[in-house]
Amino acid sequence: MRFIHASDLNLGMIPDGQKSWGRERGNALFSALDKIVDLVIQENADALFLTGQSFHFSPLKEDVERIRQVFARIPFCHILLFSKNSPDYHFLNNAAFPRNIHLIREEKEHLYVEDLNMEILAIQKYTGQEAEINEFSLQHSDAIPLLLCNTGKDCSFPSNREELEKLPFSFVALGGEYNKRVLLENRILYAGSPEPLGKEQLGEHGIYLGNIHPLQKKVDALDFIPIATVQYIFLHFHLDKETGTEALRSRLHTEIQKRGLEHIYRIKFSGDRDPETKITEELLPKGARVIEWIDKTYPLYDFYSLYKEHSNDLIGLYIRSYLKKGLNELSQKEQDALFYGVSALLQGGK
């Protein structure tokens, strides 16, 4: 039995909504579902497990119609999809789906898919269901036992290897985490969201394609397939006093162009630098997408030269209040106050 495990689609969400590329990111979430269905067709998958939060907001009628049309492309595949037993999910819960789409509405459901001889325990939230999971037993003795479980934001699935190995399931498809994470090789994992949903979700995002041997009831193949075309990438630049503005600009251009302008960057600068080296977003190549810009550099001010230059203004007065004691005699707190005070004054009080 071939299956695809995808999780936490969060359809309707607009990641980075305040940015110029926000709408594009929102559209990418629906495109991810199209890509997943394309893979189902390409791989002739028998089952599609969609764990976690499929909709970011309560789905509207048009949202439900959209996924119904997408799923209509794969009538041969059994689709398991979580909903919520709530009035907010009225349109999803009352939609007319064909028999291959199994909508899980209750906190706990026990399903048997005869076509695939697949017996499934589906849990909306792990907390409070530990005994049910650990003591699961098949109602069809020769079936493939599977667990689909959403862990919730405040509770993660057990990570102890001995506990995981005892679970009575051939495969455990987990939802509720946006980054992929394997708890037990070829058996228990979070697929993560197929598209990154925020700056903390670095690296590749996609789905898992697996196969369960019908006789041995074990996963004999499991592969991660990236489908997201955009990644959040963290870049860290450590500066020293020899790093000039143009050299830094060149490093930024090289690193971003090497990885691709289509990606979204978190950039951090650290170290000591020449005060003449400016850390501004004007250094970026045109079209670069930056979601986070952190400057933790320390300009190596020559406070004595600055004092001579500004002896008759507020900057000089501020520096003199510390130089009276001597730079080597300042406490760490006083050094910080001198540095940050002079930095603010040189920038016009910003």
Side-chain angles (χ1 to χ4, degrees):
M1 183 198 75
R2 290 175 70 75
F3 67 89
I4 285 177
H5 175 208
S7 180
D8 293 283
L9 303 177
N10 275 272
L11 301 174
M13 182 183 182
I14 304 179
D16 305 339
Q18 77 284 8
K19 297 293 187 179
S20 60
W21 59 83
R23 178 173 293 184
E24 175 190 320
R25 298 297 305 128
N27 291 336
L29 304 191
F30 276 101
S31 295
L33 182 58
D34 291 323
K35 292 177 184 178
I36 292 167
V37 169
D38 289 341
L39 279 170
V40 169
I41 296 170
Q42 176 184 320
E43 300 294 338
N44 196 27
D46 302 294
L48 171 59
F49 307 136
L50 296 173
T51 58
Q53 189 168 336
S54 292
F55 289 93
H56 189 66
F57 302 107
S58 303
L60 301 175
K61 188 175 182 179
E62 50 265 37
D63 297 327
V64 176
E65 178 61 20
R66 185 168 181 176
I67 67 164
R68 193 189 65 77
Q69 291 178 3
V70 173
F71 290 153
R73 297 172 54 206
I74 49 173
F76 58 87
C77 178
H78 285 274
I79 303 166
L80 289 102
L81 171 72
F82 281 93
S83 182
K84 292 182 181 179
N85 192 0
S86 163
D88 293 342
Y89 276 65
H90 167 81
F91 292 113
L92 181 58
N93 291 335
N94 290 280
F97 288 119
R99 63 179 295 273
N100 68 306
I101 298 178
H102 309 271
L103 195 62
I104 301 161
R105 304 176 180 87
E106 305 301 327
E107 288 189 5
K108 175 186 67 180
E109 294 192 25
H110 198 138
L111 305 89
Y112 177 63
V113 179
E114 185 176 3
D115 297 357
L116 303 176
N117 193 28
M118 182 173 66
E119 196 164 331
I120 301 160
L121 177 63
I123 300 290
Q124 288 275 14
K125 192 173 182 181
Y126 174 72
T127 305
Q129 305 289 350
E130 295 89 338
E132 185 77 25
I133 291 171
N134 290 315
E135 297 168 12
F136 174 82
S137 60
L138 288 170
Q139 296 176 2
H140 300 76
S141 59
D142 194 40
I144 299 170
L146 299 169
L147 173 64
L148 274 59
C149 182
N150 296 334
T151 60
K153 294 181 180 179
D154 301 322
C155 178
S156 60
F157 207 75
S159 57
N160 181 280
R161 188 176 183 88
E162 291 183 4
E163 291 182 44
L164 296 175
E165 288 178 340
K166 291 177 183 177
L167 292 177
F169 302 98
S170 298
F171 183 72
V172 177
L174 297 172
E177 287 196 9
Y178 296 160
N179 286 316
K180 67 182 188 296
R181 183 160 66 100
V182 176
L183 301 185
L184 192 64
E185 295 80 1
N186 282 359
R187 272 192 67 194
I188 304 172
L189 58 87
Y190 290 93
S193 55
E195 282 281 340
L197 304 175
K199 64 182 181 180
E200 293 79 15
Q201 294 156 41
L202 305 173
E204 292 183 321
H205 283 250
I207 58 92
Y208 280 89
L209 170 67
N211 187 74
I212 298 177
H213 194 285
L215 299 178
Q216 297 177 356
K217 308 294 190 294
K218 292 182 178 179
V219 176
D220 56 16
L222 186 65
D223 297 298
F224 175 75
I225 300 179
I227 66 171
T229 54
V230 171
Q231 295 181 32
Y232 289 90
I233 297 175
F234 178 71
L235 297 178
H236 182 196
F237 296 89
H238 186 79
L239 280 61
D240 57 38
K241 62 181 180 180
E242 304 302 324
T243 305
T245 301
E246 289 309 311
L248 182 56
R249 187 194 307 276
S250 176
R251 286 173 62 185
L252 274 166
H253 280 236
T254 298
E255 294 299 324
I256 290 176
Q257 290 174 348
K258 179 170 66 177
R259 291 166 174 81
L261 284 171
E262 72 275 14
H263 298 305
I264 303 168
Y265 292 89
R266 300 169 59 189
I267 303 178
K268 179 180 178 180
F269 303 89
S270 65
D272 297 331
R273 64 174 172 85
D274 186 323
E276 296 301 314
T277 300
K278 306 303 180 184
I279 311 293
T280 70
E281 294 192 37
E282 293 178 357
L283 298 174
L284 293 168
K286 186 178 181 180
R289 299 173 172 182
V290 177
I291 190 68
E292 186 175 65
W293 182 271
I294 301 173
D295 181 7
K296 292 291 184 180
T297 58
Y298 191 103
L300 293 175
Y301 292 121
D302 183 340
F303 290 108
Y304 290 103
S305 296
L306 277 174
Y307 173 66
K308 290 179 181 179
E309 183 181 348
H310 296 275
S311 58
N312 295 318
D313 60 27
L314 183 58
I315 295 174
L317 182 64
Y318 186 81
I319 295 173
R320 186 175 66 181
S321 66
Y322 287 92
L323 292 183
K324 286 189 297 185
K325 187 175 182 179
L327 290 176
N328 294 332
E329 303 299 322
L330 297 178
S331 66
Q332 185 60 54
K333 187 175 181 179
E334 289 171 325
Q335 290 178 35
D336 290 342
L338 174 59
F339 165 70
Y340 288 114
V342 169
S343 295
L345 290 168
L346 288 171
Q347 296 177 45
K350 295 181 182 179

